Amino acid sequence: MRWLTPGRVAAVAAVLLVLTRWQAVHLLPAEWYYRVLGVHGMSMLIFFIIFFEMAVLHFTSTALINARCAAPKTSWFAFALMLVGAVMVEYLMWAGKADVLFTSYVPLRADSNFYLGVILFAVGALTVVGVFFANLVVAKRERTYEGSLPLVVYGAVTAAIIAVITLLHGAIIYVPTWLWSIGVIKSVDPEVYRVIWWALGHSSQQINVAAMVAIWYMMGALTIGAVVLNEKISRSAFVLYVLFISMASAHHLLVDPGMGPAWKVVNTSYFMYMAVLASMIHGFTVPAGMELGMRLRGFTNGMFDWLRRAPWGDPGFSANTFSIIIFGFIGGITGVTIGTEQINIIVHNTLRVPGHFHATVVGGTALAFMGATYYLIPLVFRKKVVLWKLAKIQPYLFAGGMLVFNIFGSLAQFERDLIREREQVQRGEVAGRVVEEHVLGARVRGADLARGRAGVPVVDGGVVLDARVRRGPGRIGDLVPQSRSLDGLRHLGGEAGLQLPVEVALDGERRQARLRVIATGGFSVLWPILCLFTDDKTAFVPVEVVSLAALLSSLGVWAWLRRSAATSPPVA
């Protein structure tokens, strides 16, 4: 049974998927392909990653600060819950009783035990998070460390807070869905499901980010004696994750017609960029700390002597370095570009999307976890890593494979665009000959601007657009509908066409504004938890200001939308 870990299950599923997408082999039929795709997503993105993250929480709250576990029996009980839940889900997906893919969108319905398994797994993970915070309280009381929490443990605190937010969203949506699957309630609103589910699906990957960055700092120190350039800056970047990274889940819903454009723009063009700023800060401070650590050890000849003489034969160092490069330069950049609405619409449902999240979750997080494992195995189990020569080249093989997959996943979309463009050109050549023969040879009269309708020239009894650059005077047919408009009768030209009808905007926006008030209010309450574990309380004053400002702005938007709905004229 020890071989049937989520990571190995996910790897086997990945091989089956690749052999199916490879047209020369085409191993699986369509039904089994999507079944295995669901298995791969749940095994890798949820079970493997979160199991490791819970281990990180135990390790950082005990071993790194010389503290004892506050509740060992509760910890084992939580592990048992997670294991039972994961086994239930895996079995039902392989058995074909949960063919709902990774997102399990309603009204698709799986076996009720599938949702129960996810709930058990989430409850177990929440229990681990509770034990983590209890360990920190015990360590603080017993004075096992001096001053503030170490930065690595502080990053784990960030991951734990995001885990609470994530898993509570999972409970909010999976409990009603489970009740629906057993017939207790009649239905689950699909739009509400999508919004709340992605607060789970996206945020669960942000637990990864916080835990991964904490491991970056830890492995830098363990492998080459890296230092932290500025504690306050690094800690503030972790706080930005807590405040804004969950809101970036909106970029998964950019093509969802049920979400209002204002909500999408605010989340993906403002809040998400604050989380991106945090990653950029870590992306600078971690490599800079590694360079400074090497230079302090005497590697000062030239600009890159420290990098050339780094221990590249140490799999812990090479895996950590490749994780930073792949996550920062490929995963991060592609994530920001896909997070913009215009690009998202173009690349939606293309290979560029799996290319992106494999660069973040696999090339970034999983590779960092692998590097840490090479140090944790000797430390925890007091055993040497077997096949050490193979272990030394493993990060290179893994990182090289991920780079090929990620880069060519994006290039495949460009290739598809080129093929589509070439086909359009070929069709255009045929259409061009038709236009040249039947349209350009026709006698075209001037536009009839005197008619009541919009003026157009007449060609052999048909109608084409006025080809002249200047505009004719406005007519009755040019007026923009004014019912339920925010602009009243102030704009009759083209600008009014860019405005949103109140009838369409307010229904979704009021609901999203209420959710935003709840979210920002929750962040305003959650962030002081971070203050309990640091001696420098003044470093969190900017965070308080940002959090309260976000809450006040959300309340203002909500009040304005309610007022607009109350004062807008009825539909004629």
Side-chain angles (χ1 to χ4, degrees):
M1 287 295 294
R2 68 189 183 90
W3 294 99
L4 298 179
T5 60
R8 290 190 176 93
V9 173
V12 171
V15 172
L16 296 177
L17 294 174
V18 170
L19 291 178
T20 304
R21 289 302 298 264
W22 187 5
Q23 294 300 312
V25 180
H26 200 70
L27 180 65
L28 300 176
E31 179 183 0
W32 267 98
Y33 173 82
Y34 287 104
R35 181 174 298 161
V36 173
L37 180 62
V39 170
H40 176 67
M42 291 296 292
S43 300
M44 181 66 192
L45 294 174
I46 300 297
F47 299 140
F48 164 70
I49 291 291
I50 294 183
F51 265 123
F52 198 98
E53 288 159 355
M54 297 302 105
V56 169
L57 295 186
H58 274 299
F59 179 75
T60 54
S61 63
T62 55
L64 289 189
I65 53 177
N66 299 316
R68 61 183 177 86
C69 181
K73 293 183 179 179
T74 303
S75 299
W76 282 110
F77 174 73
F79 172 75
L81 279 179
M82 294 175 67
L83 183 61
V84 169
V87 171
M88 288 175 61
V89 172
E90 292 282 357
Y91 167 75
L92 292 169
M93 297 187 78
W94 281 108
K97 297 181 179 180
D99 290 339
V100 291
L101 293 178
F102 174 61
T103 51
S104 58
Y105 281 165
V106 296
L108 296 176
R109 182 181 305 196
D111 187 284
S112 60
N113 288 324
F114 169 82
Y115 304 108
L116 181 60
V118 175
I119 293 170
L120 290 176
F121 184 85
V123 171
L126 270 175
T127 305
V128 173
V129 174
V131 173
F132 168 79
F133 284 116
N135 291 344
L136 295 183
V137 171
V138 170
K140 185 75 172 179
R141 185 181 303 158
E142 295 179 355
R143 301 181 181 277
T144 61
Y145 64 93
E146 297 180 359
S148 300
L149 281 174
L151 182 61
V152 175
V153 184
Y154 190 86
V157 172
T158 303
I161 294 175
I162 298 174
V164 171
I165 299 170
T166 300
L167 297 171
L168 287 179
H169 279 95
I172 290 172
I173 199 57
Y174 268 113
V175 170
T177 308
W178 174 62
L179 295 175
W180 165 70
S181 69
I182 61 177
V184 176
I185 60 178
K186 292 183 178 179
S187 63
V188 176
D189 187 278
E191 180 181 336
V192 173
Y193 181 96
R194 292 194 299 270
V195 174
I196 300 179
W197 192 92
W198 276 114
L200 161 72
H202 175 81
S203 299
S204 62
Q205 309 316 310
Q206 309 320 311
I207 311 172
N208 308 345
V209 173
M212 174 190 68
V213 173
I215 286 178
W216 285 354
Y217 283 107
M218 181 184 75
M219 293 304 297
L222 291 178
T223 55
I224 58 174
V227 299
V228 179
L229 294 183
N230 190 301
E231 285 270 352
K232 289 185 177 180
I233 290 178
S234 297
R235 291 173 188 264
S236 299
F238 277 121
V239 173
L240 289 178
Y241 281 152
V242 175
L243 292 176
F244 297 107
I245 205 163
S246 297
M247 301 179 185
S249 60
H251 83 273
H252 292 282
L253 300 167
L254 281 175
V255 297
D256 194 313
M259 304 296 108
W263 178 77
K264 295 176 182 178
V265 169
V266 168
N267 279 276
T268 59
S269 296
Y270 295 97
F271 292 142
M272 188 178 80
Y273 289 161
M274 297 302 293
V276 172
L277 174 62
S279 294
M280 292 178 66
I281 292 173
H282 292 306
F284 169 77
T285 57
V286 173
M290 294 169 66
E291 177 182 358
L292 183 56
M294 287 291 288
R295 290 186 179 278
L296 290 175
R297 294 172 60 192
F299 300 100
T300 58
N301 295 328
M303 184 176 296
F304 297 109
D305 180 63
W306 68 274
L307 186 61
R308 181 178 60 84
R309 299 179 66 180
W312 291 102
D314 181 349
F317 173 81
S318 59
N320 196 57
T321 304
F322 291 144
S323 169
I324 296 171
I325 294 172
I326 295 175
F327 180 87
F329 287 96
I330 300 180
I333 292 175
T334 56
V336 172
T337 55
I338 294 176
T340 58
E341 188 165 10
Q342 297 87 342
I343 297 178
N344 190 282
I345 291 173
I346 296 173
V347 304
H348 187 67
N349 285 338
T350 68
L351 283 175
R352 197 178 306 183
V353 177
H356 154 67
F357 59 69
H358 277 80
T360 56
V361 180
V362 184
T365 304
L367 189 53
F369 289 175
M370 291 175 185
T373 302
Y374 287 117
Y375 276 67
L376 294 178
I377 288 176
L379 179 63
V380 175
F381 298 103
R382 306 297 181 183
K383 294 182 179 180
K384 294 182 179 181
V385 177
V386 298
L387 302 176
W388 182 249
K389 291 183 178 180
L390 182 62
K392 294 170 69 173
I393 65 172
Q394 181 270 333
Y396 294 89
L397 294 174
F398 191 86
M402 277 297 102
L403 284 172
V404 171
F405 181 89
N406 302 332
I407 293 174
F408 284 92
S410 296
L411 293 180
Q413 172 60 25
F414 288 115
E415 179 65 22
R416 197 169 89 167
D417 291 341
L418 291 174
I419 295 173
R420 186 185 299 114
E421 184 178 352
R422 183 167 61 248
E423 292 174 350
Q424 291 173 349
V425 170
Q426 291 173 352
R427 290 194 299 267
E429 292 176 354
V430 177
R433 290 195 293 270
V434 174
V435 171
E436 182 178 1
E437 179 177 354
H438 295 286
V439 178
L440 298 182
R443 292 172 295 173
V444 181
R445 292 181 287 170
D448 184 6
L449 301 179
R451 297 185 182 181
R453 299 188 299 266
V456 292
V458 178
V459 183
D460 293 341
V463 176
V464 298
L465 296 176
D466 188 356
R468 286 171 287 181
V469 176
R470 65 176 180 83
R471 285 189 58 182
R475 289 169 179 72
I476 297 174
D478 297 329
L479 293 179
V480 179
Q482 298 300 321
S483 62
R484 291 284 192 184
S485 175
L486 296 177
D487 278 352
L489 299 175
R490 288 177 291 174
H491 300 293
L492 299 181
E495 293 182 7
L498 300 176
Q499 306 302 321
L500 286 174
V502 176
E503 184 73 18
V504 176
L506 288 182
D507 290 340
E509 294 303 320
R510 283 199 303 272
R511 180 164 58 253
Q512 298 306 326
R514 287 196 297 270
L515 290 175
R516 188 58 56 222
V517 169
I518 295 172
T520 52
F523 288 134
S524 301
V525 174
L526 283 174
W527 76 263
I529 296 176
L530 295 173
C531 300
L532 298 177
F533 305 105
T534 180
D535 293 337
D536 189 1
K537 306 297 189 295
T538 60
F540 292 89
V541 173
V543 179
E544 180 181 11
V545 173
V546 171
S547 181
L548 293 178
L551 177 60
L552 292 176
S553 64
S554 299
L555 288 170
V557 170
W558 186 23
W560 178 79
L561 288 171
R562 287 173 59 87
R563 179 175 176 273
S564 298
T567 58
S568 60
V571 177

